[in-house]
Amino acid sequence: MIEPLHPRSRINRRNLLRSAGAAIALPLLTRTARAGDWPERPVTLVVPFAPGGTTDVLAHLLAEVLTRHYRQPFVIANKTGASGNIAAAFVASAPPDGYTFLIGTPGIHATNRLVYRSMDYDPVADFAPVILIARVPNLLSVTKALPVTSVAELIDYARQRPRQLVYGVSALGSTGHLSTELFKTMTGIEITPLPFKGSAPMLRDLADGRVHLTIDNLPASKPLVEAGEIRALAFTTAKRWEPMRQLPTIAESGLPGYETASWFTIGAPRATPPEIVTSLNATVAAYLGSASGAAQLRRIGAEPNGGSPEDMRRHVLAEIVRWEKVAKTAGIVPL
């Protein structure tokens, strides 16, 4: 059982999927719809974690694109804490005027509720979906001081040292966190979680040997793998990541059926004008669909997605159901 970080007001879990049906459905406007003079001043993209992680990297890429397109600054605000819940609550309560958006994660939309019994926002009803930015494989990595070079060796090593290994958690409730708990359940190993306020500080401790292993997003882990500071063992996805085909998946390394991944979104306060949402969706979708934009994301380890606001809404609802099954298998319950 895992301790959450200081929850406050209570969200009724039984009403979550019901609230999804009552969430504001954005009309499917044409891409020629105009948002008037928006934006007339700087727009804030709220990132729920410390600088340097995958969410932050994607936010900065988008901020550059949007600043050029709209000729107004799109600025990054890193609001860390409570696995993204602080940032999510901030955006949920922000004025719905098109000047505050959230760079969302599976934790905020689907999995934090599996760890936190109480949150200050409804992960479905409080946000207007804008776009699913990208899907991202997670990577199982170890500190180079650990004498293992494969998933099988890691499992054997951990089994011989119950509760002696520490795994890094970029955020409680994150896909990396739940993925590692699922790994523990399927292998029977006993390892201890150590939570951080984002991927960057957690990966630094992994490189320095203060953390033994982690499962985290590829874009955050990739630079340290390429620099030889940490050792990558396997991907969590069902298939190998094409640019790094030399690395196997966890499923083909002795755990058939193991599969998890991550993804990132843009969300807005729920009453944000639909024409602003449509304009932002079209601009980001054009970038993701361009050859240069797709190549830029793939270089950092992300697969561009896109689609409509409604596509994002359907994806979030499907992920809520999927991660509930993972949490049940791993024995995770909210406190």
Side-chain angles (χ1 to χ4, degrees):
M1 192 173 294
I2 297 165
E3 185 87 15
L5 296 176
H6 308 298
R8 289 183 286 174
S9 64
R10 176 165 296 185
I11 177 173
N12 189 332
R13 182 176 178 278
R14 291 181 303 172
N15 289 336
L16 181 70
L17 293 180
R18 191 190 315 168
S19 71
I24 294 174
L26 294 172
L28 299 178
L29 303 180
T30 67
R31 292 191 178 255
T32 57
R34 298 180 61 83
D37 295 325
W38 177 86
E40 298 179 297
R41 53 186 172 84
V43 178
T44 299
L45 301 179
V46 177
V47 173
F49 303 110
T54 302
T55 321
D56 186 67
V57 170
L58 287 173
H60 277 86
L61 288 178
L62 291 175
E64 292 179 11
V65 171
L66 296 172
T67 296
R68 288 197 303 269
H69 178 82
Y70 288 107
R71 299 182 181 180
Q72 285 286 354
F74 278 67
V75 298
I76 307 299
N78 296 88
K79 292 188 176 295
T80 66
S83 304
N85 288 346
I86 289 175
F90 175 83
V91 174
S93 62
D97 54 9
Y99 290 94
T100 306
F101 294 91
L102 176 70
I103 305 300
T105 64
I108 285 171
H109 292 298
T111 61
N112 282 358
R113 52 181 284 272
L114 301 172
V115 176
Y116 295 84
R117 189 179 299 277
S118 300
M119 301 192 302
D120 286 343
Y121 68 97
D122 184 307
V124 175
D126 283 349
F127 299 104
V130 177
I131 196 166
L132 181 62
I133 303 167
R135 300 171 194 256
V136 172
N138 285 337
L139 187 65
L140 169 60
S141 304
V142 298
T143 184
K144 292 190 72 176
L146 210 64
V148 300
T149 58
S150 69
V151 174
E153 289 179 0
L154 173 62
I155 294 170
D156 288 342
Y157 188 86
R159 281 176 177 163
Q160 294 171 25
R161 297 163 180 82
R163 296 179 296 281
Q164 293 183 32
L165 298 188
V166 174
Y167 76 89
V169 178
S170 63
L172 290 177
S174 65
T175 58
H177 177 205
L178 271 64
S179 295
T180 312
E181 288 295 315
L182 181 62
F183 184 73
K184 285 172 56 179
T185 299
M186 293 180 70
T187 60
I189 63 174
E190 298 179 67
I191 54 178
T192 304
L194 180 61
F196 290 79
K197 291 185 177 181
S199 292
M202 182 266 294
L203 289 168
R204 188 68 264 156
D205 272 15
L206 180 68
D208 292 341
R210 288 185 287 272
V211 171
H212 298 106
L213 68 145
T214 190
I215 293 178
D216 199 42
N217 306 145
L218 175 60
S221 304
K222 188 169 179 278
L224 279 77
V225 172
E226 292 175 340
E229 295 189 63
I230 62 176
R231 181 181 299 124
L233 297 186
F235 286 108
T236 65
T237 43
K239 297 180 180 179
R240 297 189 183 196
W241 177 253
E242 282 299 326
M244 297 173 65
R245 278 200 61 78
Q246 74 277 14
L247 281 181
T249 66
I250 291 177
E252 64 184 333
S253 300
L255 290 180
Y258 184 99
E259 178 188 359
T260 67
S262 192
W263 40 272
F264 298 86
T265 68
I266 299 178
R270 61 181 174 181
T272 300
E275 61 270 21
I276 291 177
V277 169
T278 300
S279 174
L280 185 57
N281 171 276
T283 303
V284 175
Y287 164 70
L288 298 175
S290 69
S292 59
Q296 194 171 32
L297 263 67
R298 288 178 181 135
R299 274 196 298 272
I300 66 170
E303 185 63 29
N305 200 91
S308 68
E310 178 61 21
D311 290 333
M312 174 182 154
R313 187 188 73 85
R314 284 195 294 265
H315 176 81
V316 167
L317 294 179
E319 287 289 284
I320 287 172
V321 174
R322 188 171 81 88
W323 283 104
E324 272 192 340
K325 294 177 181 177
V326 171
K328 185 177 180 180
T329 299
I332 295 173
V333 295
L335 291 178

